[in-house]
Amino acid sequence: MIGESMLNSRPNGMPAYKKIQGAIIKRIESGQLKPGDTVDSERELAKIHKVSLMTARHALTALEREGLVQRRRGAGTFVAPPKIHFNKLTSFTEQMAGRSLTACSKVLSFGIVDNEQEVAARLALATDTRLLKVERLRIAADEPFAVETCYLPAEEYSGLTRAAVARGSLFSIIEGTYGIQLAYADEEMDATAAAPATANLLQVPRDEPLLRIRQLIYSTKGKAALYVLGLYRSDRHTLLVRRFR
Amino acid sequence: MIGESMLNSRPNGMPAYKKIQGAIIKRIESGQLKPGDTVDSERELAKIHKVSLMTARHALTALEREGLVQRRRGAGTFVAPPKIHFNKLTSFTEQMAGRSLTACSKVLSFGIVDNEQEVAARLALATDTRLLKVERLRIAADEPFAVETCYLPAEEYSGLTRAAVARGSLFSIIEGTYGIQLAYADEEMDATAAAPATANLLQVPRDEPLLRIRQLIYSTKGKAALYVLGLYRSDRHTLLVRRFR
DNA sequence: AAGTGGTCTAGACCACGGC
DNA sequence: CCGTGGTCTAGACCACTTC
């Protein structure tokens, strides 16, 4: 079989290891597999899906890094406790959908700026580059819980309207309409006190501690695609991350 | 050569892919490789280190997830900008050493508790389990910048003394003296206002916004090894994380 | 066209865990 | 002991970027 075209065994665009992941995720989400249950071993998965060991292994390794399963040498692979998908870059809309919360956003401002030098620098652009600046209030379960300010290079997203942003997820617009695949985000987190205007928007007292997150989101081409500054109500939002040794 | 013992090609315990990583890291840290420079390709690395493609590939893939290099299909692998080692679980001591800062700690308290039910629950232990509680003030560049409270199952770390904790890194004690390999940490981050006592320790005004991090650190066996609650001066510490889509 | 990373094969041996 | 994950081989084809 050596030398056989990959197209034969993979007519669509989905890699085999992702199919395997999908099958496992489905069994976890449907409740068929509960936390602590053993997942099919590498060898079993290889047989079931008719792939080599390395491919089955790749599927499990990636699932472990996403926190969905836990692997123990000599013992097996087990379903992890149902934590949030840490280390996974997801849009507000996607996150809320995952927790089955009613969520919406209100566009506070929408326009072009060309004098935000720090932001331009972070995006690795000339300091006078025209940037599209969008401020949005994020609301979940009828409570405001974050103010997010996004900056995008105006040239690359020409035609983007306030209405489009108000209607749907910014991520899906970028990935769908503009065909830019987002890859990862470097995030900087610290705490800050709510300024009067922000406090008012979030309906919290002045100087309330807020979680501040600055995201620099990159495309698969390694280019900075957008910059997001978020201020989160700490009583409604805690961030989860997994770090490896 | 099929079937040859692994021991022949790997007399010591270091896997080949880690050796390759080490060689690359060395060239980056010595300045021989600067940000943006191309790293040896998979095929070159395979030849140089006399390993198969999959092994060379494994080395580069892992380095990319640590943020050290950036890979672009069709183009090559490039040295990433010198960000902090996000997503890497490191001890305070290790972090400070990496930034060549003089760092020290002051042990504020050290003793056994058995009534911290929430902590015991997070460690997946009975609510009345005896826990070793260690409070420390972290100081960098002669400025206090964090208060950390660690909880460890007292039974598993019997013999641990206040003097030992004061002297060295808790991580190195756990991994060295007790032979427990730490694997990863799930961290929860939010913002909180400094209580009077905390503000005093950190030399900040009362109610100053602080970054609060709750770490649940796991061993390679998948067991919760310790719980750490940290309060960080936001003006001296921002957390960096990379999230993937 | 040449080179790169992404996916994949069909196996191998090792270290470890649980019975 | 047997099954598990961890490492590894010596290649293959594909999709993509750069020239």
Side-chain angles (χ1 to χ4, degrees):
Chain A
M1 294 289 253
I2 288 178
E4 187 188 342
S5 168
M6 287 298 126
L7 283 175
N8 296 339
S9 45
R10 182 156 54 89
N12 58 9
M14 175 93 70
Y17 78 92
K18 282 203 173 176
K19 279 190 185 171
I20 299 173
Q21 289 180 340
I24 296 171
I25 289 172
K26 204 172 156 189
R27 289 178 61 189
I28 292 175
E29 285 182 348
S30 73
Q32 193 183 340
L33 242 41
K34 290 180 191 58
D37 287 358
T38 69
V39 178
D40 292 333
S41 74
E42 301 176 352
R43 289 162 180 78
E44 286 169 338
L45 286 174
K47 273 182 196 165
I48 295 169
H49 293 91
K50 290 175 184 161
V51 297
S52 82
L53 254 184
M54 284 297 292
T55 302
R57 174 175 182 67
H58 183 24
L60 289 180
T61 303
L63 280 186
E64 179 176 41
R65 287 209 75 97
E66 290 180 19
L68 270 158
V69 302
Q70 227 249 308
R71 318 188 75 197
R72 289 209 305 278
R73 180 196 299 215
T77 300
F78 307 88
V79 178
K83 299 257 173 65
I84 308 291
H85 273 202
F86 24 63
N87 299 23
K88 194 104 192 178
L89 175 60
T90 53
S91 73
F92 173 75
T93 311
E94 288 162 350
Q95 272 183 52
M96 292 305 117
R99 288 192 243 174
S100 54
L101 282 176
T102 58
C104 65
S105 301
K106 199 175 135 189
V107 179
L108 301 172
S109 79
F110 183 97
I112 304 268
V113 295
D114 60 1
N115 57 347
E116 303 252 6
Q117 308 195 352
E118 198 205 320
V119 175
R122 286 189 192 247
L123 286 165
L125 296 169
T127 53
D128 61 346
T129 308
R130 292 168 68 245
L131 296 172
L132 186 57
K133 177 178 177 180
V134 184
E135 277 183 298
R136 291 183 293 179
L137 181 66
R138 306 299 217 165
I139 300 161
D142 291 325
E143 269 198 339
F145 95 138
V147 180
E148 278 185 5
T149 311
C150 307
Y151 296 86
L152 309 90
E155 268 187 41
E156 306 199 27
Y157 298 96
S158 60
L160 189 54
T161 65
R162 182 178 185 132
V165 171
R167 202 164 42 237
S169 155
L170 186 56
F171 269 35
S172 63
I173 293 173
I174 291 173
E175 298 194 312
T177 309
Y178 292 90
I180 294 173
Q181 268 293 99
L182 300 178
Y184 62 91
D186 283 341
E187 308 189 352
E188 234 177 289
M189 280 154 288
D190 62 1
T192 190
T198 309
N200 200 31
L201 284 169
L202 292 177
Q203 295 174 22
V204 295
R206 222 190 113 170
D207 289 333
E208 175 87 351
L210 300 178
L211 185 63
R212 173 169 54 190
I213 307 181
R214 301 180 175 96
Q215 292 184 306
L216 193 47
I217 306 181
Y218 293 86
S219 72
T220 48
K221 305 221 187 303
K223 252 192 67 177
L226 74 158
Y227 176 78
V228 184
L229 189 154
L231 294 169
Y232 298 85
R233 275 181 67 168
S234 202
D235 54 344
R236 289 283 174 276
H237 190 85
T238 79
L239 199 83
L240 293 180
V241 165
R242 173 167 293 185
R243 323 184 77 150
F244 298 87
R245 185 129 177 81
Chain B
M1 292 292 253
I2 288 177
E4 187 185 342
S5 168
M6 286 299 126
L7 282 175
N8 296 340
S9 46
R10 184 154 55 86
N12 59 9
M14 175 93 70
Y17 77 92
K18 282 201 175 179
K19 278 190 186 172
I20 298 172
Q21 290 180 340
I24 295 170
I25 289 171
K26 204 173 155 189
R27 290 179 62 191
I28 292 176
E29 285 181 348
S30 74
Q32 193 183 337
L33 242 41
K34 290 181 192 59
D37 287 359
T38 69
V39 178
D40 291 334
S41 73
E42 300 177 352
R43 288 161 180 82
E44 285 170 339
L45 285 173
K47 272 184 196 165
I48 293 168
H49 293 91
K50 289 175 184 159
V51 297
S52 80
L53 254 183
M54 285 297 292
T55 301
R57 174 175 181 68
H58 184 23
L60 289 181
T61 303
L63 281 187
E64 180 177 38
R65 287 211 75 96
E66 291 179 17
L68 270 156
V69 303
Q70 225 246 306
R71 318 189 76 199
R72 289 211 307 277
R73 179 197 299 215
T77 301
F78 307 88
V79 178
K83 299 258 174 64
I84 308 293
H85 273 201
F86 23 63
N87 300 20
K88 194 103 194 181
L89 176 61
T90 53
S91 74
F92 173 75
T93 311
E94 289 162 348
Q95 272 183 52
M96 292 305 117
R99 288 192 244 174
S100 55
L101 282 176
T102 59
C104 65
S105 300
K106 201 174 132 186
V107 179
L108 301 172
S109 81
F110 183 98
I112 304 267
V113 296
D114 61 2
N115 57 347
E116 303 250 9
Q117 307 196 353
E118 197 206 320
V119 175
R122 285 188 191 247
L123 285 165
L125 297 169
T127 54
D128 61 345
T129 308
R130 293 168 67 248
L131 297 173
L132 186 56
K133 176 179 177 179
V134 184
E135 277 183 298
R136 291 184 293 180
L137 182 65
R138 305 299 216 166
I139 300 162
D142 293 324
E143 268 198 341
F145 94 137
V147 180
E148 279 186 5
T149 311
C150 307
Y151 296 86
L152 309 90
E155 269 188 38
E156 305 199 28
Y157 299 96
S158 61
L160 189 53
T161 66
R162 181 177 185 132
V165 170
R167 202 163 43 237
S169 155
L170 185 57
F171 268 35
S172 63
I173 294 174
I174 291 173
E175 297 195 311
T177 310
Y178 292 91
I180 295 172
Q181 268 295 97
L182 301 179
Y184 64 91
D186 283 341
E187 308 190 352
E188 233 177 290
M189 281 153 287
D190 62 2
T192 189
T198 309
N200 203 29
L201 284 168
L202 292 177
Q203 295 173 23
V204 295
R206 221 191 113 172
D207 288 333
E208 175 87 351
L210 300 177
L211 185 63
R212 173 168 56 189
I213 307 181
R214 302 179 174 96
Q215 291 185 305
L216 193 49
I217 305 181
Y218 293 85
S219 73
T220 48
K221 305 216 189 305
K223 252 192 67 178
L226 73 156
Y227 176 78
V228 183
L229 189 153
L231 295 169
Y232 298 86
R233 274 181 68 169
S234 202
D235 54 344
R236 289 281 174 278
H237 191 85
T238 78
L239 199 83
L240 292 180
V241 166
R242 175 169 291 186
R243 324 186 78 158
F244 297 87
R245 184 125 178 84

